[in-house]
Amino acid sequence: MSATPTVGVLALQGDTAEHLRVLGVLGVPAVPVLHPEDLDRVDGLILPGGESTTMSKLAARYDLVEPLRKHIGDGMPAYGTCAGMILLADRILDGAADQQTLGGLDITARRNAFGRQTESFEAGIDVDGVGGDPFEAVFIRAPWVESVGERVRVLGQIAYGERAGRIVAVRQGGLLATSFHPELTGDPRIHRLFVDMVKGQA
Ligand SMILES: NC(=O)CC[C@H](N)C(=O)O
């Protein structure tokens, strides 16, 4: 792996631009990924937040489903935020009819688990491996992680209130997922963790 990896951001739908901006702030070369051959030019991939059913449909339309599964299965590091977490999950609950995921991450994600758009909220989350203050996390129609397989490490849970204990950040080898959206709040610590994972340094 080169000292400065190139990170791709899936560009089918959702907040691709915000992820590219954070990677730019970190000085990491970053490119949108829209076609299968784009995957050959990146060392890691971010799957953004947005709408997972729409992203799945567009992935099929752009012939990206199998190439994405292959790269992820072959060990390409990937980080899914919100809808991206759903795409990485091996199993989902409350998915749309016939909703398929890419899989790779041995979790069950419950879609829209925290309620409707109007019930979006923020919470401070202590994310394991991310030093400093709790991460100010924004949840927008977010999934939670209902259960994890034994290879999955829980990195963050909601600490207090009626949602206390809900798992919202996980890692399994080179795969990272958060229910929330670090790309929207200007705090680059989780992106830095992912870039370190891509470099093989975390
Ligand atoms: N902010 C988000 O990414 C929302 C995810 C959306 N609820 C979905 O199921 O895809």
Side-chain angles (χ1 to χ4, degrees), residues 12 14 36 90 108 115 119 122-123 135 151 170 176 180-181 186:
L12 293 167
D90 279 345
T108 301
E119 292 163 83
E122 293 186 31
F135 198 93
R151 290 166 300 160
V170 290
L176 179 68
F180 52 89
H181 291 270

Side-chain angles (χ1 to χ4, degrees), residues 3 28 33 37 56 74 79 85 100 110 125-126 132-133 138 146 176 181 189 194 197 200:
V28 175
V33 166
E37 56 273 23
S56 296
D74 287 349
Y79 171 29
M85 169 191 270
Q100 302 278 323
R110 185 178 289 280
I125 307 289
D126 275 313
D133 292 337
V138 175
E146 186 99 5
L176 179 68
H181 291 270
R189 287 179 291 165
F194 179 61
M197 287 168 57

